[in-house]
Amino acid sequence: MPTDAVLDAVLAAALVWVAWRVLTVAEDAAAAVLFIVLGLLMALVWARLAAPDIALAEAAIGAGVTGALVLDAVGHLGGGSDGRARSVGRRVVVVATVLCAALAGGIGWAVLRLPPDAPGLAAAVARVIPDTGATNPVTAVLLDLRAYDTFLELGVLLLAAIAALAVRRTVDLRDVEPDARDDLLLSALTRLGVPVMVLVGGYLLWAGTQAPGGAFQAGAVLAGAAILVLVAGGRGVVALPAGPLRVGLASGFAAFLVVAWVLLVAGRRLLDLIPDVAEATIVGVEVAVTVAVGVGLAALFAAARQPADVER
Amino acid sequence: MTEIPVYELAAAALVAIGLRGLIVRRGLIRRILAVNIAGAGVFLLLVALAARAQDPGPDPVPHAMVLTGIVVAVSATSLAVAIARRLAELTGGSDLPDDDGEDVV
């Protein structure tokens, strides 16, 4: 027990220290790398807190996709230092620091006063699990009990992708120039890594209804593979013509919409899955969500990457 | 429970560090990272509280909410990075002008 407590204390302290450094270190590039470290530390913390589904998603999305995105942006923006010349006035810094410390104190005080053994909804979820078509409680909540949240989340992903393409002023990612770098190690790693990532993505999708994993983690790993291909000089997802790209982006949202519509027509409430076919519904929706998350995150990365070559 | 809730307290610190960074840093990339750190603090608080109930296991509802939140966060971050890069392309810099207009490009 004491070793557990020491590990937790060290992890928590490391989180706070790395987060502080992300926002105080001089170079943007160093901040991006520290942010990836923070994501990996978070993944460890999720594992310590018995949240393996989130640990997988954090490692793939928080550390992986977000890290790659920010690091890539820093590389293209010149990696300027966010030094003193560009910081706000000293008075603002002091006031902000005091107010934020007060905020941290307030949240900490509220947390310490919470009852230590609040029951939460775990028992309620466990009671209805047999009717949901998934045995992994997190998947049951995501795709059945609170499917509405997930539906709208895919709407957010779709909107972000549409907006990012709009900022680029094109719907076609085929004009993204692949990196013309001649890097033996990177291309060898990509050849080794991408098939494994595709395999892992497929496993996560398949395992998600019974075990930790699921559509988001699977989609994120596939997006990671697509990003790796793009960074290593290949084309991958950006080779998709505009039509299939749009279908891929919209697939998750569209699948949910179809399910919601069919259930409404059948006289049930919105996204109130029919228990007998809930498992098949969940698996079908998960496949579409995997495609949407994979294509969506890869397209967001590619769209952020290449400056629009259209006249300003 | 007599143990110190270290993750809950770390979550409070992350929210505050992220918010402070959002205010005091001028560079857009750093501000995007600051929002992500504050969000990570919120996620950590939710999951740390969910982990307190040990009997039938941790509460899966906050877990699902955090998973949703992670995907929303990466979507918003990607869009923000795309806009920041567009701004850099148009102005040559990736920080915002001063409020008083001194720095206007």
Side-chain angles (χ1 to χ4, degrees), chain A residues 215-270:
Chain A
F216 295 109
Q217 294 87 345
V221 170
L222 294 181
I227 290 170
L228 189 58
V229 167
L230 194 63
V231 171
R235 304 196 62 85
V237 72
V238 303
L240 282 179
L245 179 69
R246 287 176 188 166
V247 171
L249 287 176
S251 57
F253 192 72
F256 261 112
L257 207 57
V258 168
V259 169
W261 181 76
V262 168
L263 289 171
L264 277 182
V265 169
R268 299 180 72 86
R269 278 172 299 164
L270 186 71

Side-chain angles (χ1 to χ4, degrees), chain A residues 8 23 82 86 97 305, chain B residues 7 20 25-26 85 95:
Chain A
D8 286 339
L23 297 173
D82 188 30
R86 280 157 68 200
T97 305
R305 182 141 226 262
Chain B
Y7 290 125
R20 178 187 174 277
R25 303 306 301 222
R26 186 66 64 72
R85 288 176 84 151
D95 40 5

